[in-house]
Amino acid sequence: MDEPELTHRDEDGRSLPLLVWRLPKPARAISSAVLGGGLGRCDWVVNATVPMSYDRRDPAAHLRSLAAGLGLRGPGVGLLTGVDVSEVVHVTEDGVRLWATVGLGTPIQAAAPPPAPALAERVGTVNFVVWVPRRLSEGALVNAVATVTEAKTQAIRDLGLDATGTATDAVTVLCPPNGPVAAYGGPRSRWGAPLARTAYEAVLLSGEPARRADPASRSAT
């Protein structure tokens, strides 16, 4: 899987960046994205920056329009974020390639009550796009999403935030559609272990500057 293309689009009088992965061959994917979520074939991935004030009620249709404007065809995955995607972090280990755009403006505890309205206006999203070079079983793909999420939460905690993530995080894991099948994707499995480490490192690399700049965001100890 190659590096994404960084491009821009004009929208509502603004120049907004987006990342485009044009896959050389169709991949098998699992995703929690608003467009292309679930299990299935994937020919492309888009991760698009939107304004912090974004309030469209049709994000999937918006992403389809962006994909069409880029000349993308076939099934794909579309992600949105308030983060500047030009600041994407890329981490690799043992053939696993992971790209992350990390926004921690609204860290939450997953099982906590809804935030106060003032906090709800703040935007934060962590998007992951991951390539695993071995075909994963359906169960392993599901487990890989859990592994990425667990590693993300570990990194967020190690950044000093009393949170498990944000309310809008998304994960996309891609692998070859053919070849020998790996049955496991957990954090101690052959492919889950480097997957966990790359996700952890990417969040730390992205989140540490923000943590240093905003000491009030650290949890009390």
Side-chain angles (χ1 to χ4, degrees):
M1 185 169 172
D2 297 330
E3 287 288 322
E5 169 194 355
L6 175 65
T7 186
H8 290 74
R9 70 192 190 279
D10 292 325
E11 192 170 292
D12 297 329
R14 307 181 187 185
S15 178
L16 297 172
L18 65 164
L19 295 170
V20 187
W21 287 262
R22 302 176 190 268
L23 306 185
K25 296 180 180 178
R28 180 75 164 158
I30 185 169
S31 180
S32 61
V34 66
L35 176 64
L39 281 161
R41 168 176 160 165
C42 181
D43 294 346
W44 51 266
V45 180
V46 169
N47 189 11
T49 297
V50 294
M52 292 294 189
S53 58
Y54 188 82
D55 61 355
R56 288 184 59 155
R57 302 297 182 182
D58 60 346
H62 184 199
L63 282 160
R64 289 191 192 97
S65 175
L66 295 180
L70 292 164
L72 301 173
R73 299 290 182 268
V77 169
L79 305 157
L80 296 172
T81 177
V83 173
D84 182 346
V85 297
S86 67
E87 298 177 0
V88 62
V89 172
H90 179 209
V91 183
T92 67
E93 181 179 326
D94 202 15
V96 171
R97 307 189 71 185
L98 180 144
W99 294 267
T101 53
V102 179
L104 297 173
T106 314
I108 66 163
Q109 297 280 18
L119 290 178
E121 293 174 0
R122 300 169 61 198
V123 176
T125 299
V126 182
N127 283 339
F128 291 104
V129 176
V130 187
W131 169 256
V132 177
R134 176 79 174 267
R135 181 183 175 192
L136 301 178
S137 69
E138 289 192 356
L141 282 166
V142 173
N143 208 350
V145 172
T147 295
V148 170
T149 303
E150 290 170 8
K152 173 196 69 179
T153 298
Q154 181 183 351
I156 289 172
R157 293 290 178 84
D158 285 352
L159 285 169
L161 295 172
D162 189 17
T164 56
T166 86
T168 52
D169 295 348
V171 179
T172 300
V173 179
L174 304 111
C175 69
N178 302 305
V181 177
Y184 305 105
R188 293 297 177 265
S189 68
R190 168 66 181 83
W191 297 107
L195 182 57
R197 288 190 290 268
T198 55
Y200 177 82
E201 183 178 351
V203 174
L204 281 187
L205 288 171
S206 300
E208 183 61 27
R211 186 185 72 91
R212 290 198 304 267
D214 184 12
S217 68
R218 303 178 195 180
S219 61
T221 56

